[in-house]
Amino acid sequence: DAGITQSPRYKITETGRQVTLMCHQTWSHSYMFWYRQDLGHGLRLIYYSAAADITDKGEVPDGYVVSRSKTENFPLTLESATRSQTSVYFCASSPRTGSTGFGPQHFGDGTRLSIL
Amino acid sequence: DAKTTQPPSMDCAEGRAANLPCNHSTISGNEYVYWYRQIHSQGPQYIIHGLKNNETNEMASLIITEDRKSSTLILPHATLRDTAVYYCIVRAGSGAGSYQLTFGKGTKLSVIP
């Protein structure tokens, strides 16, 4: 089925470990986004990408790395996980509209990450 | 981004129309009004968006006042599955800062049997 899928849905790891969250979309949307959701903070943008090989920082990028070698994939890596990165992570994608705009963002179901 | 104000919670009887208000008095001319909802433990779901004119799709209707300072999301026949937190978001269509959706606290809609 077409859509946006995130994997894994749940992940438990230890501080200092590297962990990668996967995001795959089948719509061929140009834009992709990573958010984290924490109680009391709502959703906060970590990184976004306007196209393959083009990424940029959002509101809270520290401690995260992204890449986008293919349009459909946008993995998020925590190079050395910390307890403060325990959160629910959402990936989203959006089509390009016009020359610089983009349409509604469509979200995956999230990855619940716990760092012990 | 312009800020939005929504009531923290609302109840609606099943089968009735749910009318969710949103104030966005500082909205700029190139900013759209977006509505999303989040059902517990799921990702946010896009509902509808508009710039100036009223909009309708299979999920809902969006009514924007003529001065664009407020809007109302209408779910015409609420069901129990519409119980969720609804977010009203103002976002520029393009340019710097348009890439981030700023989710506030939203309105928790409870549909009552």
Side-chain angles (χ1 to χ4, degrees):
Chain A
D1 287 346
I4 186 164
T5 54
Q6 295 184 236
S7 60
R9 288 297 310 276
Y10 303 90
K11 177 74 176 179
I12 300 174
T13 190
E14 296 176 338
T15 56
R17 295 280 184 107
Q18 182 180 78
V19 59
T20 296
L21 310 184
M22 304 301 293
C23 179
H24 176 78
Q25 54 104 355
T26 59
W27 290 305
S28 299
H29 285 168
S30 295
Y31 289 88
M32 295 188 75
F33 308 82
W34 274 106
Y35 290 85
R36 61 178 288 176
Q37 186 172 34
D38 306 290
L39 280 175
H41 287 283
L43 274 82
R44 292 182 290 175
L45 183 66
I46 304 171
Y47 270 95
Y48 72 102
S49 168
D53 298 323
I54 300 174
T55 63
D56 208 345
K57 297 178 180 179
E59 180 185 357
V60 289
D62 293 342
Y64 303 94
V65 175
V66 293
S67 62
R68 193 156 176 219
S69 57
K70 292 184 178 181
T71 300
E72 61 266 31
N73 296 324
F74 191 39
L76 176 75
T77 298
L78 289 66
E79 293 191 303
S80 179
T82 65
R83 289 200 179 95
S84 65
Q85 293 176 309
T86 291
S87 187
V88 182
Y89 290 84
F90 290 103
C91 179
S93 71
S94 175
R96 183 182 301 276
T97 59
S99 59
T100 59
F102 59 94
Q105 294 182 26
H106 298 273
F107 288 78
D109 280 333
T111 293
R112 283 140 188 84
L113 178 63
S114 294
I115 301 166
L116 307 178
Chain B
D1 282 356
K3 293 184 178 178
T4 63
T5 304
Q6 300 178 253
S9 63
M10 294 181 63
D11 291 341
C12 178
E14 188 178 17
R16 295 295 193 110
N19 296 279
L20 292 91
C22 179
N23 286 322
H24 31 79
S25 59
T26 60
I27 192 170
S28 299
N30 69 337
E31 290 180 318
Y32 289 77
V33 179
Y34 279 76
W35 283 84
Y36 283 78
R37 72 181 182 185
Q38 190 169 24
I39 297 168
H40 180 63
S41 79
Q42 296 181 18
Q45 179 186 21
Y46 165 75
I47 301 172
I48 199 167
H49 75 284
L51 182 64
K52 288 189 280 191
N53 300 322
N54 298 338
E55 302 288 344
T56 295
N57 62 20
E58 66 277 5
M59 288 182 67
S61 295
L62 173 60
I63 308 297
I64 302 174
T65 58
E66 192 169 343
D67 63 8
R68 303 211 320 125
K69 293 185 177 182
S70 65
S71 60
T72 301
L73 178 74
I74 300 172
L75 308 178
H77 305 287
T79 71
L80 298 179
R81 289 188 295 180
D82 292 322
T83 291
V85 179
Y86 287 76
Y87 298 97
C88 170
I89 298 166
V90 169
R91 183 181 76 80
S94 61
S98 64
Y99 45 82
Q100 175 158 353
L101 293 176
T102 301
F103 287 76
K105 296 188 184 302
T107 295
K108 175 149 179 58
L109 176 69
S110 299
V111 179
I112 311 299

